[in-house]
């Protein structure tokens, strides 16, 4: 499931993924908030705290995640990905150089730093 992380500036779409993540999580939670932030600010500051193994993402969730990236390809201002897996942090930092905006990976114990960074 994906839930919204509350208490951040309105320009931030921040989420925590736990347990099983499905296509519906993107349709009902992620996409509407990203759309709202985009319409209000023209750019999106995005954070995903991945607090579940990637194998818990359904195929539909992976597709919706990829589509989200393409739909707003030039509209990301900041993207923060938080995970307990160093490989995800490293992938985020490398892949981030290929897309517009600023992308940064964080480890789970750096969540406060990630929330501050994406909020600025």
């Amino acid at each position: 499931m994906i839930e919204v992380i509350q208490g951040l500036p309105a320009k931030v779409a921040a989420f925590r993924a736990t347990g099983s993540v499905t296509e519906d999580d993107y349709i009902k939670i992620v996409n509407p908030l990203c759309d709202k932030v985009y319409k209000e600010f023209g750019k999106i500051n995005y954070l995903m705290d991945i607090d579940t193994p990637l194998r818990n993402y359904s195929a539909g969730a992976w597709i919706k995640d990829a589509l989200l990236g393409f739909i707003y390809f030039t509209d990301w201002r900041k993207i923060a990905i938080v995970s307990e897996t160093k490989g995800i942090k490293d992938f985020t930092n490398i892949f981030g150089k290929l897309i517009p905006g600023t992308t940064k990976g964080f480890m789970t114990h750096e969540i406060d730093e990630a929330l501050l960074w994406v909020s600025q």
Side-chain angles (χ1 to χ4, degrees):
M1 83 186 272
I2 293 179
E3 60 188 0
V4 175
I5 298 174
Q6 301 292 333
L8 298 173
K11 67 182 179 183
V12 179
F15 308 94
R16 178 168 292 113
T18 59
S20 296
V21 178
T22 67
E23 179 179 3
D24 274 354
D25 291 318
Y26 280 84
I27 293 169
K28 295 178 181 175
I29 298 167
V30 177
N31 292 354
L33 183 54
C34 286
D35 188 54
K36 179 181 180 212
V37 170
Y38 171 72
K39 285 179 179 173
E40 187 171 344
F41 296 95
K43 294 282 184 182
I44 304 167
N45 288 20
Y46 177 88
L47 180 140
M48 179 61 76
D49 179 8
I50 304 171
D51 193 17
T52 190
L54 293 181
R55 69 178 175 274
N56 286 348
Y57 273 68
S58 71
W62 282 114
I63 291 168
K64 288 296 183 186
D65 185 71
L67 287 173
L68 182 72
F70 287 118
I71 289 169
Y72 297 107
F73 188 76
T74 61
D75 305 314
W76 302 111
R77 183 171 176 270
K78 288 186 172 183
I79 298 173
I81 305 297
V82 181
S83 173
E84 67 179 18
T85 305
K86 187 174 181 320
I88 293 173
K89 176 182 176 178
D90 294 343
F91 176 81
T92 299
N93 291 333
I94 292 167
F95 178 73
K97 294 176 182 177
L98 304 174
I99 62 174
T102 306
T103 305
K104 190 170 180 182
F106 295 87
M107 298 300 295
T108 299
H109 69 273
E110 299 172 313
I111 185 68
D112 290 338
E113 180 184 341
L115 292 167
L116 179 63
W117 180 81
V118 80
S119 295
Q120 296 174 330

